[in-house]
Amino acid sequence: MLRAMRVPSPIIDDHDEHDHDPTPLRLVAPDLGANRARDRRLSRRIFIGAAIGGTAATGLTGVASAADPDPFTLGVASGDPSTDGMVLWTRLAVDPLAEDGLGGMGARRSTVRWQLSSDEDFATVLRSGTVATGPAQGHAVHIEVDGLKPDRWYYYRFRTGNHVSPTARTRTLPAADSTKPLHAIAVSCAHYESGWFTAYHHAAQEDPDLVFALGDYIYEGAGVEGRTRVHPGSTCVSLADYRRRYALYKAEVETQELHHVAPWVVTWDDHEVQDNWAGIHPKDGVPTDAFEARRTAAYQAYYENMPLRRRSKPNGASLDLYRRLSWGTTADLHILDTRQYRDLQVCHDGGKTWWFSDCPERDDPDRTMLGNAQTDWLLDGLASSQATWQVLAQGVFFSHRDISEGPTETLAADGWDGYRVNRNLVRDSWVEAGHTNATVLTGDVHAAFANEIKSDFDDPDSATVGVELIATSVGSGNDGYEENDSYQVVLDENPHIKWINGRRGYLSVEWTQDLLTARYMAVPYISTPGAPLELKRAYEIPAGDPGLNLA
């Protein structure tokens, strides 16, 4: 329940390096102390365990002092739930933006105690333990809990020394035969420099079952003066750079608030490494040893800062990210990696533009977005699934999208239009498997889109075989636009694209055995904090009838 074309067009470009608004905006230096002051004004009930040294909860009391700074400045998180457990996460940092990327913890080793309870007062502690962490892990902690009951909410927290973390909430997945509905939030593209992460705050008020993070959790670029806020430091290249950047984003109150209410299921897009990277290829398209080292650093920092299982711990420039979760019989959740295994974008021109009009190589049958192993894994999962809904959570625009007026098509090389054969194989596979209820969840493009997936995008009258729900950005693209001339061109040229809105926000989705309900939520501005929440559009999709119907 809720509480509450010219080519390329900068309005539908998803790459901040290319769409900087030159209008001077209020410059705000990162002030983590101010963030924590705002935190105290957010009175979410699950934060009761955050009082340092004042909690009466069994086993985690302590007394802190001014000379003993708080190491839980980056909050806590959970993720990748199963029917009997989940991952619990925290990362220690007394000085989050310390130059060495180690959060002021340096070379020290720390012992961290954790607890999981069935109640927020921790009267009944069900699981507990201790774990060591240190500089090799970026002072991060990943706890894999198991042996719990399915479809239950739990509370968890950490302690080290005299400090107790915030108390946060997590859950297990329903049993395999459950018909329970799923209420999830989908978010993407939180650009610190564009403004405040108000959408995260509002999304937390919905108390979702899960949060899908669809990519661009951070942005890697150097600070640009004149933006609403400015990244400290240079473009992220080293492990220390990426660690500092994650610390900046995780110290945001709103980020922590959404992490504290539900487990996250994460995947990445490009800015966790570099704008528009593609497998072994950097933005300019030329593989180098330096880019492999950069990917190795970015992968390590990503794992350290996400609530991922040990199976995703990177091995150099390799990280196992695609995976599948099942929400009873209601939905199978296929979490895709659309970056690590892809071929170079079609007709690559060294990164000058990311649009193409006439590029025969897009139809090369050997070109792939997902890589052969991931494609086979996905097709096998689709073929064997008995769930009512097939949910593909992934990074980039899946549907056909022509952004230019007239007979000449202009398409995005970085999206699935540049990998058409692989896209059609995925789409046709769920159709052949008899799935009439496919939902593709997408981020990346800094606007909300509602798309019908056609059996043949070149034929507007062909069957609708699924829907693509695209979450607008949390914070990329400044305040955004309610309407824009380029949106109308896209709507006119692509009849399967039913609606576009360029404000910042998130997507709220509920799947039941009978119905999918999608609500596009937005805020009118992010250039200052505290914006109200607005419902921009709602759709209903009955099971077995995959068209978009206004709710």
Side-chain angles (χ1 to χ4, degrees), residues 237 287-296:
V237 175
T288 62
D289 291 343
F291 185 62
E292 182 176 3
R294 183 178 181 182
R295 284 189 294 128
T296 298

Side-chain angles (χ1 to χ4, degrees), residues 191 224 397 419 457:
H191 187 209
V224 177
F397 211 100
Y419 304 80
F457 282 114

Side-chain angles (χ1 to χ4, degrees), residues 261-330:
V261 299
W264 284 42
V265 179
V266 304
T267 190
W268 56 21
D269 191 29
D270 52 342
H271 289 288
E272 288 87 354
V273 179
Q274 182 198 39
D275 180 42
N276 277 11
W277 67 286
I280 64 172
H281 304 277
K283 184 176 182 177
D284 66 6
V286 182
T288 62
D289 291 343
F291 185 62
E292 182 176 3
R294 183 178 181 182
R295 284 189 294 128
T296 298
Y299 289 13
Q300 177 67 23
Y302 185 78
Y303 175 76
E304 288 176 355
N305 286 279
M306 294 294 114
L308 289 165
R309 293 182 178 270
R310 285 185 294 271
R311 66 180 290 272
S312 295
K313 187 175 181 179
N315 180 15
S318 176
L319 188 153
D320 189 0
L321 192 57
Y322 63 87
R323 59 214 189 275
R324 185 176 296 113
L325 289 72
S326 292
W327 191 270
T329 64
T330 301

Side-chain angles (χ1 to χ4, degrees), residues 113-252:
R113 184 176 179 185
W114 61 274
Q115 291 181 327
L116 182 136
S117 174
S118 58
D119 62 278
E120 57 189 326
D121 296 322
F122 287 81
T124 304
V125 175
L126 301 175
R127 297 286 188 279
S128 64
T130 59
V131 64
T133 189
Q137 300 83 32
H139 299 280
V141 171
H142 294 76
I143 305 296
E144 293 190 26
V145 185
D146 58 18
L148 302 174
K149 294 181 179 180
D151 196 18
R152 297 287 196 280
W153 285 99
Y154 297 94
Y155 299 85
Y156 65 97
R157 62 187 179 182
F158 300 85
R159 173 186 171 170
T160 188
N162 292 318
H163 292 278
V164 181
S165 76
T167 291
R169 191 177 71 162
T170 190
R171 64 163 301 134
T172 52
L173 298 177
D177 60 352
S178 172
T179 59
K180 184 182 180 70
L182 168 61
H183 172 208
I185 297 296
V187 293
S188 71
C189 303
H191 187 209
Y192 178 90
E193 294 198 328
S194 288
W196 304 91
F197 299 162
T198 310
Y200 281 159
H201 167 71
H202 287 300
Q205 309 309 304
E206 292 204 25
D207 290 332
D209 294 309
L210 295 176
V211 176
F212 290 105
L214 303 175
D216 295 346
Y217 186 96
I218 62 163
Y219 278 70
E220 83 290 4
V224 177
E225 292 190 9
R227 287 181 169 172
T228 304
R229 303 188 289 181
V230 177
H231 283 150
S234 59
T235 297
C236 297
V237 175
S238 69
L239 179 55
D241 294 336
Y242 285 106
R243 282 170 167 171
R244 285 196 302 270
R245 190 58 53 85
Y246 278 102
L248 177 71
Y249 281 61
K250 283 190 165 291
E252 289 289 285

Side-chain angles (χ1 to χ4, degrees), residues 368-498:
T368 177
M369 170 75 80
L370 300 178
N372 293 333
Q374 184 179 193
T375 298
D376 290 344
W377 165 87
L378 176 58
L379 302 190
D380 288 346
L382 292 170
S384 62
S385 175
Q386 300 298 311
T388 301
W389 298 92
Q390 303 302 309
V391 180
L392 284 65
Q394 55 95 49
V396 292
F397 211 100
F398 186 83
S399 301
H400 180 81
R401 178 178 50 145
D402 174 14
I403 67 166
S404 62
E405 190 171 8
T408 299
E409 289 187 330
T410 302
L411 309 172
D414 194 57
W416 285 86
D417 273 332
Y419 304 80
R420 178 161 64 175
V421 175
N422 201 191
R423 176 186 63 200
N424 292 352
L425 175 61
V426 171
R427 177 201 61 200
D428 295 347
S429 294
W430 79 57
V431 173
E432 291 169 6
H435 296 304
T436 56
N437 303 320
T439 311
V440 179
L441 296 179
T442 302
D444 185 51
V445 290
H446 306 174
F449 283 72
N451 303 337
E452 293 182 344
I453 299 172
K454 308 300 286 186
S455 62
D456 180 358
F457 282 114
D458 292 329
D459 179 5
D461 295 325
S462 66
T464 298
V465 297
V467 295
E468 182 179 21
L469 309 176
I470 300 184
T472 185
S473 65
V474 168
S476 297
N478 303 318
D479 288 339
Y481 300 85
E482 196 69 35
E483 297 179 359
N484 183 268
D485 290 345
S486 65
Y487 293 172
Q488 192 57 52
V489 172
V490 172
L491 292 169
D492 290 343
E493 295 295 321
N494 305 272
H496 57 278
I497 296 177
K498 302 302 182 182

